[in-house]
Amino acid sequence: MSTMLREALHVLRSDRTAERWTDAFPVGNGVRGASCQGGPGAERLWLNDITAWSGIPGDPLAGVADRGDAALDAVRAAIARGDAAEAERLLLRQQTPWVQAFLPLGWIDVEVDGVFGDGCRRSLDLTTATARLEYGRVRHETWADSAGGAIVHRIESDAPVRVRLRVGSLLRPAGPDTAVPNGLVRELLLPIDVAPGHATTSEPVRYGEGRNGAIAVRSAGAASIEHGMLVTEPARTHTFVIGTATAPSIPGEPESDADAPTRAVAALGEIGADAAAEATRRYEAHLAAHRELYLRCAVTLPSADDAVELSTEERIAAAQGRPDPGLAALLFHYGRYLLLSSSRHTGLPLTLQGLWNAEIPGPWSSAYTTNINLQMAYWAAETTALSECHTPLLRFIRRLAAGSGATVARELHGADGWAAHHNSDAWGHAAPVGAGHGDPAWAFWPMGGVWLSLHLWERYAFTGDIDELRAQSWPVLASAAQFALSWIQADGTRTYTSPSTSPENHFLADDGTVTGVGESSTMDVALLRALATACVRAAAVLGVDESWIAELLALVTVLPDSAVDADGTMREWDRPREDTEPHHRHLSHLVGLFPLAQITPTRTPSLAAAAAASILSRGRESTGWALAWRTAMWARLGDGARVHEQITMALRPAPVDGHGHRGGLYANGFSAHPPFQIDGNIGLTAGVAEALLQSHEERMLLLPALPPQWPAGSVRGLRARGGVTVDIDWERGEVAKVRLRSDRHTTIEMSGPGIGIRSIVLTAGQPALIEPRGNRW
């Protein structure tokens, strides 16, 4: 690949200092992250650690006033008699306060003595996971070591310079900084409670006897502490290693008796006598570890002629008025980069902002939103060959199911199995939130565990790892099924779910009340049927024959089927309802289209048409993550023109005021809700992958929704269910070449423009090459 092509498709650039942390370039290794601001004469690194959360272990149902069978029966009775207001009043009594917040640990300001200038150049190379800053004759590099675990910052200058480092934080210090050889350590107090930004409370950030965090920084050369700063001797090259840690260990993380400062210092590793050689060795190990994941999958599309001459911010703006398919490829790669940088080596999944956050509290506490956003952030994990990055989410799901999820099902709902609602955090929160006044339309949604469980089946569908399915996934699926069996109601003539919501949306009830609470939302039915299907398939693979499987399948079969309303759109509720938010950003009733694949143009054409009408009925405008979801939905519907329209909207400049429901991109490529949500980035990557390859039907679909504006291009390393890696070259909108590599012996059927329908036998590890125009196999 030429240098210009690589830079157009894999490098982000800026010619100015980041004005806010959401303009900074992010680096991360799944545990530690830094956002690199840049500027002439100085660099600021905002620091994050995936284990830095507010809170302490506690009662999963703290604050709940009503719980158990009787409380739930009262809600169901109110819904049955049409008293939506009473149902909501009772549900408010089942709320806990809120989930805890993912915290910024702090920042490090790096100042180079005697170097000034009017401008700077910044870049982020996705192929090396390295952020660079240049001004005058000084060059900075920052990376989060993918092999060693620390954050490394290196400075090179044409002349010897002295460097000063200052540590800062929004958190309270636990005491004065501590000196270590050529470095310093700052210990910090982590709050025991942080309220979300929308909450009204007298003490939004509360400290007490809880956990601590620490930031440690060490220079590879001689350095001393002066006036609270780490100051080096003059040199042409400076290398700093930064470690972060928290203690005690958060659930799901390795246990250790060490305190936070000791852990942070340990993360620095050893610096030998030859600092330059050690830095080079570390960087080479980092590159090998990063590239092993990043280089597995790539899309090549032509870029605008001046793409490498513009900053990413300028390129985003220019693409609104001219063709630049390469920008979509760059953001495809950026989504994968953000996923692999923020979800590795840990039992905690990425947050709503990935591994990066500089605010207390961050947007929506920078926690986990499980009614779409957490799931969306992992849609690209299997399809774009980052299965290892899926693992932190799967570990978290298993912990949630075995812990607080089981408590919530049993004690709050009087049900078997496990359940989770729409918010969670590092402590595994599973109950409804809202502090007794949160709208049940978003606060009460017991399908969170059902949807999360489906990720475990998807993992098997791609990897075929039967040992993982039997030992780790099946117990979670079976437990979610037990909850479903308890939750689904039957009155002798029908089965239904109650109370039921369609996340965050509202309708006009029969009594004129605006509510989000009713029975058998379309999303409930779709998720429960998907769970039953996954359990049936998993049981067949494992040779399990238990009576509850057939019972669950029978119950979900007679739940209300998806229906089409008089206006041609998909019905969202149990019967025709008047929408009070006709342009709502959530398309929860279309979950059966994507990601579940219960609705397809070939198997269910009338429902597919209704799904298309539903997307259009919500209006053209929406949030960044909603545009990404729509991209994937149009891909499932086989509409490449609509896919391109959604991508173009998702890749426009984000609104300057940062408010409203208009998606776009910030200067560093982050997707704006606004504010920044990482699922907008990774969801868009998943949508592009879905436009190029689909494997949810009986056959593999090549280029099923190729945008007509991309007549020629290629993709390498996409993954299909069944364990097949797929490379595709296309010309004039048709398949020119396909290369297949399977993990196991299998027979597949595939189709696509220019290739027709073909069946091929694949042998494990043996590539198969197909060139349809020359009829070469």
Side-chain angles (χ1 to χ4, degrees):
M1 180 182 294
S2 71
T3 300
M4 289 187 63
L5 179 59
R6 186 188 71 82
E7 291 192 1
L9 301 183
H10 299 277
V11 179
L12 288 84
R13 299 177 191 77
S14 178
D15 54 10
R16 64 177 178 85
T17 301
E19 296 179 1
R20 56 188 68 85
W21 75 269
T22 49
D23 292 337
F25 286 140
V27 297
N29 56 26
V31 177
R32 299 177 183 89
S35 302
C36 308
Q37 177 184 20
E43 171 71 284
R44 168 168 284 193
L45 306 176
W46 280 286
L47 301 177
N48 289 102
D49 187 301
I50 196 63
T51 67
W53 288 74
S54 63
I56 53 177
D59 178 4
L61 294 175
V64 170
D66 295 343
R67 62 180 74 185
D69 291 344
L72 193 56
D73 287 344
V75 176
R76 287 171 173 155
I79 293 171
R81 64 176 180 267
D83 192 347
E86 175 64 4
E88 291 198 356
R89 186 190 70 79
L90 293 171
L91 286 174
L92 295 179
R93 295 179 58 78
Q94 298 189 24
Q95 294 179 356
T96 59
W98 44 69
V99 297
Q100 290 304 316
F102 175 55
L103 302 168
L105 265 188
W107 61 82
I108 291 181
D109 286 328
V110 184
E111 302 172 2
V112 179
D113 274 3
V115 178
F116 305 98
D118 296 328
C120 65
R121 296 177 303 280
R122 299 187 297 123
S123 65
L124 175 63
D125 188 332
L126 305 181
T127 66
T128 64
T130 304
R132 293 185 171 87
L133 166 67
E134 297 183 24
Y135 50 85
R137 296 184 177 182
V138 179
R139 298 164 297 281
H140 296 244
E141 291 184 328
T142 308
W143 67 91
D145 191 342
S146 293
I151 294 169
V152 184
H153 185 76
R154 182 164 60 191
I155 302 171
E156 294 182 344
S157 175
D158 290 354
V161 293
R162 188 188 305 272
V163 178
R164 302 174 186 271
L165 271 68
R166 186 191 307 270
V167 177
S169 178
L170 298 176
L171 302 172
R172 291 181 183 176
D177 293 346
T178 303
V180 294
N182 299 316
L184 62 81
V185 180
R186 176 166 298 182
E187 187 173 10
L188 302 158
L189 301 177
L190 304 184
I192 61 171
D193 185 51
V194 173
H198 62 264
T200 301
T201 177
S202 60
E203 195 175 9
V205 179
R206 183 161 55 91
Y207 287 87
E209 187 174 345
R211 303 173 66 239
N212 286 13
I215 298 171
V217 57
R218 176 182 290 161
S219 170
S224 59
I225 299 176
E226 300 178 10
H227 307 294
M229 294 183 291
L230 184 66
V231 182
T232 70
E233 296 299 321
R236 286 187 171 87
T237 300
H238 298 272
T239 301
F240 302 94
V241 184
I242 303 163
T244 62
T246 65
S249 299
I250 211 149
E253 293 298 296
E255 291 289 338
S256 172
D257 294 331
D259 60 17
T262 301
R263 295 184 188 190
V265 171
L268 299 175
E270 297 297 326
I271 300 177
D274 190 342
E278 175 66 16
T280 299
R281 184 199 65 76
R282 285 192 179 203
Y283 190 58
E284 289 175 350
H286 156 75
L287 289 181
H290 172 73
R291 286 173 167 168
E292 200 284 319
L293 293 172
Y294 182 80
L295 297 181
R296 290 177 184 174
C297 180
V299 172
T300 301
L301 292 169
S303 298
D305 292 340
D306 61 353
V308 298
E309 300 170 8
L310 301 176
S311 69
T312 301
E313 187 175 18
E314 293 169 333
R315 187 178 180 186
I316 290 167
Q320 293 300 301
R322 64 168 188 194
D324 188 1
L327 179 62
L330 173 63
L331 269 295
F332 172 89
H333 299 140
Y334 194 37
R336 293 186 71 251
Y337 169 86
L338 294 174
L339 174 56
L340 71 88
S341 297
S342 54
S343 185
R344 271 188 288 169
H345 314 305
T346 176
L348 291 173
L350 56 79
T351 76
L352 201 58
Q353 282 68 44
L355 184 56
W356 306 278
N357 170 42
E359 304 170 23
I360 301 178
W364 296 281
S365 297
S366 196
Y368 305 134
T369 304
T370 59
N371 64 16
I372 175 63
N373 309 105
L374 181 59
Q375 291 88 338
M376 179 185 287
Y378 284 90
W379 283 348
E382 301 294 342
T383 56
T384 71
L386 292 174
S387 188
E388 297 94 328
C389 299
H390 204 175
T391 300
L393 175 63
L394 305 184
R395 289 174 178 162
F396 177 74
I397 294 169
R398 291 193 290 267
R399 175 162 64 90
L400 194 62
S404 57
T407 301
V408 167
R410 181 180 63 253
E411 297 185 15
L412 182 63
H413 300 315
D416 297 327
W418 77 282
H421 287 258
H422 100 291
N423 266 181
S424 191
D425 56 23
W427 305 101
H429 198 97
V433 296
H437 50 76
D439 185 349
W442 53 262
F444 191 92
W445 187 68
M447 292 294 112
V450 173
W451 196 354
L452 288 171
S453 296
L454 298 177
H455 278 258
L456 300 166
W457 173 249
E458 276 290 275
R459 168 69 154 249
Y460 173 79
F462 281 90
T463 67
D465 187 338
I466 195 169
D467 292 332
E468 181 184 52
L469 178 65
R470 176 179 289 108
Q472 300 179 31
S473 300
W474 177 250
V476 178
L477 285 164
S479 183
Q482 296 307 309
F483 174 75
L485 286 165
S486 299
W487 190 258
I488 298 171
Q489 302 296 292
D491 61 9
T493 60
R494 65 183 182 124
T495 62
Y496 61 99
T497 61
S498 177
S500 176
T501 57
S502 190
E504 306 190 30
N505 205 358
H506 299 82
F507 62 89
L508 196 64
D510 295 339
D511 62 0
T513 302
V514 175
T515 185
V517 180
E519 294 181 349
S520 301
S521 71
T522 299
M523 189 184 207
D524 274 13
V525 176
L527 290 173
L528 290 166
R529 286 181 172 174
L531 175 64
T533 299
C535 288
V536 168
R537 292 176 177 174
V541 171
L542 298 174
V544 173
D545 183 13
E546 297 182 12
S547 60
W548 64 261
I549 300 172
E551 181 185 353
L552 177 62
L553 189 61
L555 279 175
V556 301
T557 299
V558 292
L559 284 169
D561 288 329
S562 298
V564 180
D565 278 332
D567 63 356
T569 62
M570 281 274 294
R571 184 171 299 165
E572 186 162 2
W573 316 97
D574 60 325
R575 58 185 184 274
R577 301 281 196 178
E578 182 180 340
D579 285 333
T580 59
E581 299 176 66
H583 292 163
H584 197 270
R585 62 200 175 278
H586 284 255
L587 285 161
S588 303
H589 56 313
L590 303 188
V591 70
L593 171 63
F594 190 93
L596 300 183
Q598 295 167 338
I599 300 170
T600 74
T602 54
R603 290 201 304 261
T604 57
S606 62
L607 292 180
S614 294
I615 301 171
L616 295 174
S617 74
R618 290 294 170 94
R620 184 172 184 271
E621 199 56 77
S622 202
T623 62
W625 64 263
L627 293 174
W629 196 2
R630 293 179 184 191
T631 300
M633 288 180 177
W634 285 120
R636 280 282 170 91
L637 291 169
D639 193 331
R642 297 282 188 189
V643 167
H644 186 265
E645 179 184 33
Q646 297 301 308
I647 292 174
T648 301
M649 293 177 68
L651 301 189
R652 63 193 168 180
V656 176
D657 61 9
H659 299 291
H661 289 165
R662 180 189 179 279
L665 298 178
Y666 293 116
N668 69 349
F670 277 170
S671 175
H673 175 292
F676 162 51
Q677 287 187 200
I678 200 169
D679 43 300
N681 287 101
I682 304 172
L684 190 69
T685 295
V688 171
E690 203 69 21
L692 301 178
L693 176 71
Q694 295 177 19
S695 61
H696 56 277
E697 298 205 71
E698 291 75 14
R699 70 171 63 105
M700 187 187 301
L701 307 178
L702 310 180
L703 308 183
L706 182 69
Q709 295 83 354
W710 302 354
S714 66
V715 62
R716 300 284 182 270
L718 290 178
R719 292 279 290 174
R721 291 166 183 81
V724 181
T725 301
V726 183
D727 304 339
I728 310 170
D729 289 33
W730 67 90
E731 299 171 1
R732 297 190 293 277
E734 294 187 346
V735 175
K737 185 186 298 183
V738 185
R739 188 171 185 263
L740 306 172
R741 300 179 302 283
S742 180
D743 298 343
R744 68 205 83 148
H745 185 81
T746 187
T747 300
I748 64 166
E749 191 176 81
M750 61 184 177
S751 65
I755 199 171
I757 301 175
R758 304 204 181 200
S759 182
I760 183 170
V761 176
L762 298 176
T763 301
Q766 181 175 326
L769 179 65
I770 303 167
E771 296 179 278
R773 290 180 182 173
N775 199 29
R776 294 178 59 192
W777 292 67

